[in-house]
Amino acid sequence: MKQVSPHSDTHRAIRPDGGAAMVGSAVMDAPSAVASSGLSGDSLVAERPVTTATSHPPLYAAIDLGSSNCRLLVARPCNDGFKVIDAFSRVVRLGEGVREKGYLCQAAMDRAIDALKVCSKKLRKHPGAKLRAVATEACRTAENRAEFVQKVFEETGIELKIINPDEESRLALQACSALLDERPYAVVFDIGGGSTEICWIKVDNMGQTQCIETLSMPCGVLCLTERYAGIEQRRERFEAMRTEIRERLRDFASRNCCSDILDDGKVQMVGTSGTVTTFCGIALGLERYERHKVDGSDLRFDDAERVTELLLRMEADKRKGHPCIGNQRAELMDAGAAIFAAIRDIWPLATLKVADRGLREGILVDLMRADGHAIDPCDARRHTVSHISANP
């Protein structure tokens, strides 16, 4: 269901004081930050700006708070797509320790709130932008999620909504759908920090997609790294993680796919995650990560195997110094590589399409279409800018 790298309903607008509120759909059962703050919903609604022939198109913003990263995009409609005018990404590791303890630890919450404060500061530069801010697996599973959502609202003005796995998959698919070709079936996956989502998709002859089934595994790069930390030998650890993911995928694959349609070339694959985009950057031999060269690229499975072997032989310092990996992602790459390898084991195709896009882009498409803008996610990809600093 993923970007800046050393390497994205009904809604409410940004408040004049820079806070933001959003009423979304498909949320977990958690107390409303607005209700518990004692403020009425109407008090947070700004008048929708009137757009004239001479004014700029309206602004839209999306925040994706995952188990590993906090990401923001601000964009405005442009032709049939959108143009990104501001962005932010920071590794926060919100899901650190959640699987073992069952709750968000104070240090992780502090890191996430610090990042969201940067998002709020950026949003104050774009008054009137319509925002949707979502949180995923770490918040879904944490016992103290309601307290965290409330604290986020109090300290940043951002109303965070915890979305369920189906909504997370829908948004990721919406962002990636333009990369699908005429083949009638597709596997679309998103390797996150706290979970991995797999969608089995039917594509009709008009290019319309139908999600037949979604699988959300509680196995992302962060929680898997923590779970297997006791295995000291890297290759043994990698194979153990790969085996677990492969076993988790078998029943889903057997229900939705058979060797006949694989052999007939009727299945395609799209991968969206930091793992897959990093693999692609390494395979392309990029001296620095360049989004426009990665997004929409074809990655051969044999090249992915070559990158896997390269990563498993690479020492920690070299991984941290690699321009497509970086210090913050380095220790998570073995888990990402294991999940990616297991997916290729289950669906042994020749290539996959790499998507450097995710929940934020899906949210932006939703918001813009709700206001009547004809948004083509493919054009959105062409208009999105890269190389925006990940630092405040």
Side-chain angles (χ1 to χ4, degrees):
M1 74 155 34
K2 291 184 192 213
Q3 120 183 358
V4 178
S5 171
H7 177 2
S8 177
D9 307 328
T10 57
H11 51 276
R12 296 192 174 110
I14 301 297
R15 302 201 319 249
D17 64 359
M22 173 71 199
V23 178
S25 59
V27 299
M28 301 289 288
D29 292 330
S32 165
V34 177
S36 55
S37 69
L39 298 173
S40 70
D42 290 343
S43 69
L44 299 181
V45 181
E47 290 297 322
R48 180 173 173 177
V50 177
T51 302
T52 67
T54 58
S55 66
H56 289 296
L59 289 173
Y60 299 86
I63 293 175
D64 168 19
L65 179 61
S67 299
S68 293
N69 295 275
C70 175
R71 300 184 175 99
L72 164 75
L73 278 183
V74 182
R76 61 165 42 101
C78 180
N79 299 325
D80 290 332
F82 59 76
K83 181 177 182 179
V84 173
I85 62 171
D86 207 348
F88 170 75
S89 179
R90 179 184 289 177
V91 175
V92 296
R93 300 201 176 198
L94 180 61
E96 191 171 68
V98 170
R99 286 290 163 191
E100 300 87 44
K101 300 175 182 177
Y103 59 86
L104 302 169
C105 72
Q106 189 61 50
M109 290 191 290
D110 289 344
R111 290 193 298 267
I113 289 174
D114 284 346
L116 289 168
K117 286 179 179 177
V118 176
C119 295
S120 184
K121 182 179 178 180
K122 283 180 170 288
L123 289 167
R124 284 197 291 272
K125 300 176 183 177
H126 309 291
K130 295 185 176 182
L131 171 71
R132 186 182 184 191
V134 304
T136 54
E137 182 66 15
C139 288
R140 282 197 293 261
T141 58
E143 295 174 2
N144 59 339
R145 59 183 178 267
E147 292 85 351
F148 173 67
V149 168
Q150 176 64 26
K151 189 173 182 181
V152 166
F153 181 74
E154 291 172 351
E155 296 197 21
T156 71
I158 294 172
E159 186 180 350
L160 197 63
K161 292 296 183 178
I162 305 171
I163 58 174
N164 63 32
D166 286 344
E167 175 72 350
E168 184 175 357
S169 297
R170 184 191 70 81
L171 290 170
L173 175 60
Q174 180 155 270
C176 297
S177 60
L179 299 178
L180 297 171
D181 60 31
E182 70 282 355
R183 283 173 286 183
Y185 298 98
V187 178
V188 179
F189 67 90
D190 182 0
I191 303 172
S195 65
T196 296
E197 275 68 44
I198 312 281
C199 298
W200 178 242
I201 306 297
K202 181 74 172 67
V203 185
D204 67 22
N205 54 13
M206 299 296 291
Q208 299 298 309
T209 60
Q210 175 191 0
C211 184
I212 299 173
E213 186 177 353
T214 298
L215 174 67
S216 181
M217 298 184 292
C219 305
V221 294
L222 180 57
C223 59
L224 213 59
T225 298
E226 293 176 344
R227 190 185 311 161
Y228 285 89
I231 303 178
E232 294 186 6
Q233 210 282 325
R234 281 185 67 198
R235 189 169 291 275
E236 180 185 352
R237 183 167 65 244
F238 168 82
E239 291 298 342
M241 292 187 288
R242 183 179 189 171
T243 298
E244 177 185 339
I245 301 303
R246 194 163 49 215
E247 290 305 311
R248 286 178 176 272
L249 288 172
R250 286 196 189 281
D251 288 345
F252 176 85
S254 64
R255 286 195 302 273
N256 292 296
C257 193
C258 65
S259 57
D260 289 345
I261 60 175
L262 285 175
D263 293 342
D264 289 345
K266 295 179 180 178
V267 181
Q268 57 190 302
M269 180 179 286
V270 176
T272 171
S273 69
T275 294
V276 177
T277 56
T278 298
F279 264 64
C280 186
I282 295 171
L284 291 171
L286 299 181
E287 295 183 359
R288 61 188 175 95
Y289 185 82
E290 297 180 80
R291 181 185 185 278
H292 70 279
K293 292 183 179 179
V294 170
D295 185 45
S297 294
D298 290 310
L299 177 63
R300 293 178 54 86
F301 277 25
D302 55 2
D303 285 335
E305 290 294 335
R306 177 175 58 83
V307 172
T308 300
E309 289 302 313
L310 177 66
L311 289 170
L312 290 174
R313 294 195 303 268
M314 196 180 289
E315 296 297 329
D317 288 346
K318 192 171 183 181
R319 271 180 286 154
K320 291 177 181 178
H322 195 286
C324 292
I325 302 174
N327 183 60
Q328 295 177 320
R329 190 183 297 276
E331 68 176 291
L332 305 177
M333 283 307 301
D334 285 359
I339 297 170
F340 189 20
I343 291 171
R344 299 195 308 272
D345 291 340
I346 295 294
W347 291 280
L349 305 172
T351 63
L352 80 152
K353 190 73 72 174
V354 177
D356 187 347
R357 55 179 79 190
L359 299 190
R360 295 175 303 169
E361 288 84 356
I363 290 169
L364 290 175
V365 171
D366 259 5
L367 294 178
M368 292 179 189
R369 284 178 174 168
D371 280 352
H373 299 285
I375 301 299
D376 178 348
C378 187
D379 282 338
R381 170 171 59 91
R382 288 198 295 269
H383 286 300
T384 300
V385 299
S386 57
H387 312 315
I388 299 175
S389 174
N391 297 315

